[in-house]
Amino acid sequence: GSLEPSVFAFAVVSSDIALLSSVKGLGKKGAERIVVELKDKIKGTTLENAFPGNKEINGKGKDSPARTKFSEACSALVVLGYCAGEANRAVTSVFDDAAEIETIIKLALKELI
């Protein structure tokens, strides 16, 4: 009940133990066990809207090009090894829907380093 299903799935796939253990009553060991047991089962699912706190980007809905660009930038950072929460915060802090995705990723990486 604390996380939307897509956010939960993304946290499991990206092994974001910090996000999972932020759920009331779930500690680090429990979060790690969830990741181990569910990661392979969830991998093929669609993870749209998986980044917490960003239902709208610059006043635009979830199906907008800006939302897609935001999600792609976050996904790129997760692939590079950052947890979903870190990626979300970094991209949120530098996001400009007029910028190229490569630029957004570079600026977000600078925020993380």
Side-chain angles (χ1 to χ4, degrees):
S2 299
L3 298 174
E4 292 180 27
S6 59
V7 175
F8 172 77
F10 190 80
V12 170
V13 170
S14 64
S15 300
D16 191 345
I17 303 300
L19 179 60
L20 291 172
S21 60
S22 70
V23 173
K24 186 177 180 180
L26 185 62
K28 183 179 176 184
K29 287 185 180 184
E32 289 170 347
R33 183 172 178 185
I34 287 172
V35 168
V36 168
E37 292 185 16
L38 297 180
K39 190 171 190 172
D40 291 334
K41 293 178 183 178
I42 294 178
K43 269 193 178 175
T45 61
T46 302
L47 299 175
E48 61 187 51
N49 303 321
F51 295 98
N54 287 291
K55 296 293 180 218
E56 293 188 2
I57 303 297
N58 293 345
K60 298 175 180 135
K62 68 179 183 172
D63 296 330
S64 72
R67 177 63 187 173
T68 301
K69 193 181 291 188
F70 180 90
S71 294
E72 287 177 9
C74 287
S75 294
L77 294 176
V78 169
V79 167
L80 292 173
Y82 294 96
C83 74
E86 290 174 320
N88 181 50
R89 283 187 293 280
V91 173
T92 299
S93 69
V94 301
F95 188 77
D96 176 7
D97 60 349
E100 295 293 321
I101 187 130
E102 293 84 7
T103 305
I104 295 168
I105 294 168
K106 286 178 187 177
L107 292 172
L109 282 170
K110 286 180 182 178
E111 287 288 315
L112 291 166
I113 295 176

